[in-house]
Amino acid sequence: MSATRSVEFDVKDIGLAKQGKQRIEWAEREMPVLRLIRERFAEEKPLNGTKLVACAHITTETANLARALQAGGAEAILIASNPLSTQDDVAASLVSDWGIPVYAIKGESTETYNRHVRTALDSHPEIIIDDGSDVVATLIKERGDQVKELVGSTEETTTGIQRLKAMEIAGVLTFPTIAVNDAQTKHFFDNRYGTGQSTLDGIIRATNILLAGRNLVVVGYGWCGKGVALRARGMGANVIVTEIDAIKAIEAVMDGFRVMPIAEAAAIGDIFVTVTGNRHVIDGDHFARMKDGAIVCNSGHFDLELNLVALRGMAADPVTMRPFVEEYKVKASGRRIVVLGEGRLINLAAAEGHPASVMDMSFANQALSVEYLVKNKGKLAPGVHLLPPEVDTEIASLKLQALGISIDTLTAEQIEYISSWETGT
Ligand SMILES: NC(=O)c1ccc[n+]([C@@H]2O[C@H](COP(=O)([O-])OP(=O)(O)OC[C@H]3O[C@@H](n4cnc5c(N)ncnc54)[C@H](O)[C@@H]3O)[C@@H](O)[C@H]2O)c1
């Protein structure tokens, strides 16, 4: 660990800062809503002196969130939410150009990742911005005495909210947390259009394969799965969906996709993408059925959707064919299975994550959630909360305004009509 401008940090190479700064400013052009929030924060200082830890993918978009929080007066520390998603130039620039302590290195070991989480908690945060709930879980498990210092936390992703709800049921969630993912201006856009586009971007950057005419299997037809399926079809892939939820499955059927169990899809897929937030959705039995050369990746939060332990047990040591591309040869059949990005979020491992335009709304939600927690300090009950719906509408309106798109408003006659029951056939 080193220090520059009296800021502690652990990044790959501080010399990468110049390139990082340019890329952060490039992303900012696509983030008008967050910019407006940053400008207001700079005037009003709603987070003055708030000690904050943000655990996020350290990308150009997150850097712009950090700038907004800093403008609002927060003392923010940033750590990576995934060992493979850090953009090292961005981490360097945040330290060097904005004086923000960052602990994140692309490719860091799980041990380093966990050390960074603990170093961040040593700062005694009042607010935690989490992505996957690792920081909150560590705080509860290891730093019980620090929990009372917390004003609250926010959670970025589906998997993290699932964990927070489990903590709530277990009675260990003793502070308020805002489910940012559940805002409509987050998951409708980020999970669907962001993951949809960037997952394919990751697959293509890693492999340079043509998607047209290939059988692409999407495991899980939630918000992310819908986006991946939609965009893959747009590029000419024959999309197959697997699900465990009857409603999602029938939705996929009516959206025009083939739906079948994974055991069946395993034998015909050319490319597999998991987006379930669940464990071992592609298991040893499924790997055993796959065609020679099948490509498998994950875009769900944790690296446990693919049972890589089972695959390693069935195959010889993998050969790295290109960055983020490892080929396993199954001993029994001689067939080759290609795993991308070590089974970690492929859009962040091999590409750059979601485009800035979509993260603009997600991170507007994050910034406003932090402000909401600080403003309502001591007033919110422990547990998982949503941001008030008017904040969602405000973010959507600002985004439309930034895009130069105006919409209609209800006339007095229409308001009267939709609020009365008297007029019928
Ligand atoms: N790659 C990214 O940048 C990114 C962005 C947002 C969310 N995520 C992560 O992606 C995952 C999915 O998020 P989401 O918002 O789409 O969640 P979601 O809850 O909307 O969808 C998940 C779907 O997976 C299905 N599923 C569960 N187990 C399954 C199984 N064994 N086989 C087939 N389907 C199964 C569920 O029925 C559900 O429809 C989460 O881990 C989330 O944190 C990743």
Side-chain angles (χ1 to χ4, degrees):
M1 264 173 256
S2 332
T4 184
R5 287 175 51 177
S6 52
V7 172
E8 292 288 323
F9 62 91
D10 191 13
V11 304
K12 186 172 181 200
D13 177 2
I14 203 74
L16 297 170
K18 186 167 175 235
Q19 178 192 318
K21 182 161 190 275
Q22 268 168 343
R23 294 202 316 111
I24 291 167
E25 287 169 356
W26 174 254
E28 198 248 9
R29 295 186 198 178
E30 291 277 308
M31 305 185 86
V33 178
L34 193 60
R35 181 167 56 242
L36 284 174
I37 293 172
R38 189 182 76 221
E39 287 165 3
R40 177 172 68 76
F41 274 15
E43 271 177 33
E44 298 175 4
K45 299 281 177 207
L47 314 178
N48 220 1
T50 304
K51 283 194 269 174
L52 181 151
V53 165
C55 176
H57 303 294
I58 307 300
T59 61
T60 53
E61 295 79 21
T62 300
N64 281 298
L65 171 62
R67 288 173 66 189
L69 298 168
Q70 186 183 49
E75 292 169 18
I77 293 180
L78 261 61
I79 52 173
S81 59
N82 183 291
L84 271 190
S85 63
T86 300
Q87 297 171 4
D88 292 314
D89 56 346
V90 170
S93 171
L94 280 169
V95 173
S96 167
D97 298 307
W98 281 280
I100 296 176
V102 180
Y103 299 86
I105 300 169
K106 182 157 184 146
E108 66 194 19
S109 63
T110 307
E111 194 189 14
T112 305
Y113 171 87
N114 288 329
R115 178 163 48 80
H116 287 162
V117 171
R118 293 188 182 107
T119 304
L121 284 176
D122 288 344
S123 70
H124 291 259
E126 299 160 274
I127 298 280
I128 293 172
I129 294 181
D130 219 347
D131 186 336
S133 269
D134 277 350
V135 182
V136 163
T138 309
L139 180 83
I140 291 174
K141 279 194 256 179
E142 299 179 9
R143 308 274 178 111
D145 52 326
Q146 262 181 250
V147 171
K148 59 181 180 310
E149 298 168 4
L150 206 64
V151 172
S153 74
T154 70
E155 174 51 55
E156 174 75 4
T157 202
T158 316
T159 286
I161 291 168
Q162 209 169 294
R163 289 178 87 186
L164 288 166
K165 288 189 175 154
M167 291 177 202
E168 206 174 9
I169 291 167
V172 295
L173 192 67
T174 54
F175 48 85
T177 180
I178 310 280
V180 168
N181 180 75
D182 292 354
Q184 296 187 59
T185 45
K186 201 284 187 181
H187 65 270
F188 280 7
F189 303 93
D190 170 318
N191 302 30
R192 184 165 39 169
Y193 302 115
T195 312
Q197 176 171 313
S198 62
T199 297
L200 298 186
D201 186 17
I203 295 171
I204 293 166
R205 287 200 208 190
T207 61
N208 197 27
I209 54 161
L210 183 74
L211 295 184
R214 314 297 282 274
N215 290 336
L216 187 143
V217 179
V218 179
V219 183
Y221 201 66
W223 290 103
C224 295
K226 287 191 223 309
V228 174
L230 182 72
R231 294 306 184 227
R233 174 161 63 190
M235 294 190 77
N238 301 311
V239 177
I240 296 167
V241 168
T242 75
E243 252 297 344
I244 44 100
D245 179 312
I247 296 173
K248 302 278 176 59
I250 197 70
E251 188 182 7
V253 170
M254 300 248 173
D255 284 345
F257 299 112
R258 290 163 75 193
V259 176
M260 62 183 75
I262 182 65
E264 225 173 281
I268 54 176
D270 297 305
I271 305 153
F272 295 81
V273 185
T274 55
V275 261
T276 66
N278 206 350
R279 189 183 182 86
H280 295 172
V281 295
I282 295 188
D283 218 332
D285 298 353
H286 310 131
F287 284 122
R289 288 166 182 250
M290 286 182 189
K291 295 198 276 197
D292 183 39
I295 294 172
V296 187
C297 67
N298 167 50
S299 212
H301 190 78
F302 286 120
D303 62 342
L304 42 62
E305 301 214 10
L306 311 174
N307 188 350
L308 293 182
V309 174
L311 179 61
R312 288 187 194 111
M314 296 157 59
D317 284 347
V319 179
T320 303
M321 307 300 289
R322 296 160 56 103
F324 312 112
V325 179
E326 290 192 319
E327 188 171 271
Y328 290 79
K329 197 167 193 173
V330 177
K331 288 179 198 152
S333 63
R335 290 200 284 261
R336 292 162 301 177
I337 293 174
V338 177
V339 176
L340 306 184
E342 300 168 21
R344 295 194 185 276
L345 297 152
I346 187 60
N347 60 332
L348 283 139
E352 294 174 59
H354 297 167
S357 173
V358 95
M359 293 313 292
D360 188 25
M361 287 194 285
S362 302
F363 285 164
N365 274 292
Q366 281 287 6
L368 297 182
S369 295
V370 171
E371 183 185 34
Y372 181 75
L373 282 170
V374 172
K375 270 194 180 152
N376 291 286
K377 180 177 174 177
K379 292 188 207 147
L380 299 171
V384 181
H385 296 253
L386 280 178
L387 261 187
E390 54 274 19
V391 177
D392 243 348
T393 307
E394 170 75 7
I395 291 173
S397 302
L398 287 173
K399 190 71 176 172
L400 283 169
Q401 197 185 316
L403 294 168
I405 296 168
S406 42
I407 60 169
D408 293 317
T409 46
L410 289 168
T411 62
E413 184 192 12
Q414 288 164 347
I415 292 173
E416 194 192 329
Y417 174 70
I418 57 176
S419 13
S420 88
W421 56 271
E422 284 173 27
T423 313
T425 314

